[in-house]
Amino acid sequence: MTLIVHLLACAFGLGSWLAVNGLWVELPLIVNTLPEGWDLPSYLTVLIQLANLGPLLVTLMHKLCPGLLKETAVIYAVLTVGVLACVLLASFWQVTTVVAGAPHSTAFFILTFFISLVDCTSSVTFLPFMARLPAEYVTTYFIGEGLSGFVPGLLALAQGVGVATCVNTTQDPTGGGESWTIQTQYLPPNFSPEIFFYFLAVMMCVSLAAFCALKRLPRTFFELANVALVPDPGAPSASTGLDNPGLETNGGPLQQREADGTNPTEPSAGESNLSMYRLGFIYFLVVWVNTATNGLLPSVQTYSCMPYGNLAYHLSASLASVANPVACVFAMFFPNRSLLFLGALGVLGTAFGSYNMAMAALSPCPLLQNSAVGVALIVLSWVFFTGTLTYVKVMAGVILRDRSHSALVWCGAAAQTGSLVGSVTMFPLVNTYRLFKSADYCNTKCPL
């Protein structure tokens, strides 16, 4: 039964960011078809953050009208919308209309907004629902959330997304003689984007089915989880559980652990003794990690990788999505709650992100452009950037899960706030001020 619940939690987490991650790994193919070209990622980041309307409303409802909004109803709704949006995306992703005198991917943008609405809202509904289960299933949920990037990444590798080659072509526009030019030719994928989007719809159905099964678990699973949770602020209790949870009485953790024969002076994994400063630091980590991973860096991934070739872009997008679930699994078997360690890991991940941002700023002529070392560095930098910050995000979620239900709700709100700040910062830099310049890998000439 325990194994089945772990599988269901993992499958449920799969639907959290599956559709948005699927769009990102498909970008090497889509970016060459839709009229926005290399600017498409920056448009996506803004659309994703506009979808924060969903989690904002959910968070406000939790704060202003506690108990009125049913999380399960919201989860049913967002997963159903996710399935429908993926199906419609398969049919209409190439439809364009003229806006302000230029063609734009209106259908793609509209459906991306609804997909993003689903995934953003999952941040403040999926995790609080999982908090009803024992803590080990929360980590399994994070593995599923990581797989929401890994599974589309594997599919993109099988698809052969965005593989290109440089070919010599002849031109004779005046009939006076032939001239040779080098052009970038994209090889056809092994299967179409339509099939890719239908696959995403199937995976969303799997997540919906897993949630339905989790809802029907015996009550004992949910009752076991509630023993370890610190009550939400305002709930009747002999103590707030913030500064000295070991002194709780009336059937609280102290009495429970005395009955179990454990030392009541040592905090258990299920209790929270976080000071306000430490709690603030954890939320700061959540905000910053999501600012970097969901806002700042995704907007410029094309500019940092494409000058090294389509293979570098393809590998960085796909392997970075693999690093996400690997980091979640690592957090499951090697958890480290030390805030000093998590802060140091956050600094390390920021260093990798800074390298990626620097290479984007140097486009179309980044460092070591014509070297295999340069390709390896940019791919590895994206992998370690994603992996290190994902570990920090998972451990922050685990720590806050042990604090209270509302702490996880605010964790999701902090994550979306960081994502919003990052994307709003990058959009004008990419699309208005044009600080990042695109390159044609086959024709751009850079000094050695």
Side-chain angles (χ1 to χ4, degrees):
M1 185 65 181
T2 300
L3 177 60
I4 293 174
V5 177
H6 275 296
L7 291 175
L8 290 175
C10 186
F12 177 50
L14 179 66
S16 57
W17 285 93
L18 177 80
V20 167
N21 286 330
L23 291 178
W24 282 114
V25 298
E26 193 74 354
L27 273 183
L29 179 61
I30 295 175
V31 78
N32 299 311
T33 304
L34 297 181
E36 288 75 16
W38 281 35
D39 292 338
L40 191 62
S42 61
Y43 282 96
L44 255 62
T45 55
V46 171
L47 284 169
I48 292 169
Q49 302 320 314
L50 287 176
N52 278 312
L53 176 64
L56 176 62
L57 290 176
V58 171
T59 304
L60 288 176
M61 289 292 289
H62 275 291
K63 183 67 175 178
L64 301 177
C65 306
L68 181 63
L69 187 66
K70 302 299 182 183
E71 284 173 351
T72 54
V74 176
I75 294 173
Y76 277 125
V78 296
L79 287 175
T80 302
V81 170
V83 173
L84 294 176
C86 289
V87 171
L88 292 174
L89 194 62
S91 302
F92 300 106
W93 72 275
Q94 292 190 80
V95 175
T96 60
T97 56
V98 176
V99 178
H104 286 283
S105 312
T106 49
F108 181 79
F109 288 157
I110 292 171
L111 292 171
T112 295
F113 172 78
F114 281 103
I115 283 174
S116 304
L117 188 65
V118 170
D119 291 3
C120 289
T121 307
S122 73
S123 296
V124 292
T125 53
F126 286 19
L127 260 180
F129 171 79
M130 288 303 301
R132 303 178 185 181
L133 297 173
E136 60 267 24
Y137 298 112
V138 175
T139 307
T140 307
Y141 165 83
F142 275 117
I143 293 175
E145 186 176 280
L147 289 175
S148 68
F150 176 65
V151 172
L154 284 183
L155 188 65
L157 286 172
Q159 187 182 18
V161 167
V163 178
T165 184
C166 300
V167 296
N168 289 326
T169 59
T170 59
Q171 294 180 341
D172 188 13
T174 62
E178 293 183 350
S179 62
W180 291 86
T181 61
I182 299 177
Q183 290 186 349
T184 303
Q185 262 190 16
Y186 294 94
L187 303 180
N190 296 324
F191 51 87
S192 67
E194 289 79 7
I195 295 177
F196 182 88
F197 293 134
Y198 279 127
F199 177 82
L200 295 184
V202 171
M203 291 296 98
M204 291 296 292
C205 288
V206 170
S207 180
L208 178 58
F211 173 67
C212 294
L214 286 172
K215 274 288 295 171
R216 288 163 173 76
L217 285 175
R219 293 179 61 89
T220 52
F221 274 89
F222 300 98
E223 291 168 355
L224 284 173
N226 291 332
V227 172
L229 283 176
V230 177
D232 287 344
S237 174
S239 167
T240 62
L242 176 62
D243 299 319
N244 197 358
L247 296 179
E248 293 184 21
T249 56
N250 299 329
L254 172 62
Q255 200 171 60
Q256 177 66 37
R257 284 156 58 196
E258 284 178 342
D260 293 340
T262 57
N263 187 352
T265 63
E266 297 178 359
S268 69
E271 296 175 8
S272 172
N273 58 350
L274 298 173
S275 69
M276 293 306 297
Y277 295 106
R278 292 182 177 182
L279 190 63
F281 178 70
I282 293 173
Y283 279 117
F284 168 77
L285 283 179
V286 173
V287 171
W288 170 244
V289 165
N290 285 276
T291 298
T293 58
N294 297 337
L296 296 178
L297 273 301
S299 298
V300 296
Q301 187 170 18
T302 47
Y303 296 94
S304 68
C305 298
M306 287 290 277
Y308 294 97
N310 283 82
L311 179 61
Y313 184 22
H314 183 42
L315 289 177
S316 66
S318 301
L319 295 182
S321 66
V322 174
N324 193 307
V326 169
C328 293
V329 173
F330 194 83
M332 183 178 185
F333 291 101
F334 303 99
N336 190 327
R337 294 171 179 245
S338 167
L339 297 188
L340 180 62
F341 174 77
L342 294 180
L345 204 59
V347 171
L348 181 61
T350 300
F352 287 117
S354 299
Y355 178 81
N356 298 337
M357 183 66 75
M359 295 306 101
L362 291 174
S363 177
C365 297
L367 299 177
L368 302 172
Q369 181 184 23
N370 299 312
S371 166
V373 175
V375 174
L377 283 177
I378 194 64
V379 172
L380 289 175
S381 182
W382 273 99
V383 169
F384 287 119
F385 163 74
T386 303
T388 52
L389 294 189
T390 296
Y391 183 93
V392 173
K393 179 171 66 174
V394 171
M395 290 312 304
V398 170
I399 293 171
L400 292 174
R401 182 268 171 208
D402 286 346
R403 176 171 172 77
S404 70
H405 178 277
S406 64
L408 277 181
V409 174
W410 287 106
C411 177
Q416 295 309 117
T417 299
S419 302
L420 177 62
V421 170
S423 62
V424 169
T425 300
M426 292 306 299
F427 186 81
L429 299 181
V430 174
N431 296 282
T432 303
Y433 298 106
R434 300 287 177 181
L435 297 184
F436 301 92
K437 302 185 184 305
S438 60
D440 186 334
Y441 176 70
C442 295
N443 290 298
T444 301
K445 303 299 182 183
C446 295
L448 298 176

